[in-house]
Amino acid sequence: MPAPLPHEHLPSVPELVVESDDLRGGETLSDLHVFNDWGMTGQNRSPQLRWSGAPEGTRGYAVTCYDPDAPTGSGFWHWVLFDLPASVTELPQGAGNGPDFKGLPAGAIHARNDYGTREYGGAAPPPGPAHRYVFTVHALGVDKLGLDGDASPAVVGFTITANTLARGHIIALYGV
């Protein structure tokens, strides 16, 4: 039985519409979004994302990518981005990658992913069945989470959940 998805045990909230020119729900990630290390030869670029349908009172956003199927006992956080202003409803492809993070608004913060870097880190599953990569956009009732880039993904996730007004996601697949 597959591991539960991260949103399945969270409080129910309205659904955001999340779309991408790069990702399709249930389809395989392209090499563009696969890690370029750990035996992988992808381009490690964050996907383009856009969202709509945020409820009244939305003051900011967070974007995460999580692999619930990673053989760690706790999944694997590939992207943890927060403090996006409410005026931002789209991220261009590559906005989550350094060194200059073109396309990110001023003040946006990357927390460490499970690779230990503060940026998007692409798919890199071990051989076996395809893993699910859950790209989630969270509409928040606060403009700032009050955290910095040193916060762990679990602490950021806890704080996001405490402030979420709505969320939506795209689940893509990747396996080797």
Side-chain angles (χ1 to χ4, degrees):
M1 174 186 300
L5 295 171
H7 61 277
E8 291 176 341
H9 65 277
L10 298 176
S12 180
V13 294
E15 185 83 14
L16 281 179
V17 175
V18 179
E19 301 172 298
S20 176
D21 294 338
D22 297 331
L23 306 174
R24 302 285 178 272
E27 294 186 11
T28 301
L29 287 172
S30 78
D31 284 344
L32 192 61
H33 311 297
V34 173
F35 201 51
N36 189 19
D37 201 348
W38 291 19
M40 301 291 155
T41 58
Q43 296 178 41
N44 201 45
R45 293 184 55 81
S46 63
Q48 179 273 345
L49 295 171
R50 69 183 161 279
W51 52 92
S52 60
E56 189 173 328
T58 298
R59 295 177 51 196
Y61 294 99
V63 174
T64 59
C65 177
Y66 177 74
D67 171 1
D69 304 314
T72 63
S74 60
F76 197 94
W77 290 97
H78 288 264
W79 198 14
V80 183
L81 176 64
F82 59 95
D83 288 0
L84 294 165
S87 60
V88 173
T89 58
E90 182 171 1
L91 293 175
Q93 183 188 101
N97 301 94
D100 52 8
F101 301 104
K102 291 180 181 166
L104 281 187
I109 298 174
H110 274 107
R112 282 179 289 119
N113 59 33
D114 283 336
Y115 291 115
T117 62
R118 290 186 183 104
E119 64 181 337
Y120 169 81
H131 286 211
R132 296 167 293 169
Y133 294 86
V134 184
F135 291 85
T136 304
V137 179
H138 313 261
L140 306 173
V142 295
D143 54 351
K144 302 285 182 191
L145 291 182
L147 303 170
D148 64 24
D150 288 330
S152 71
V155 168
V156 176
F158 177 83
T159 309
I160 287 171
T161 300
N163 292 286
T164 295
L165 302 176
R167 78 176 66 84
H169 60 268
I170 297 174
I171 302 172
L173 306 171
Y174 190 79
V176 292

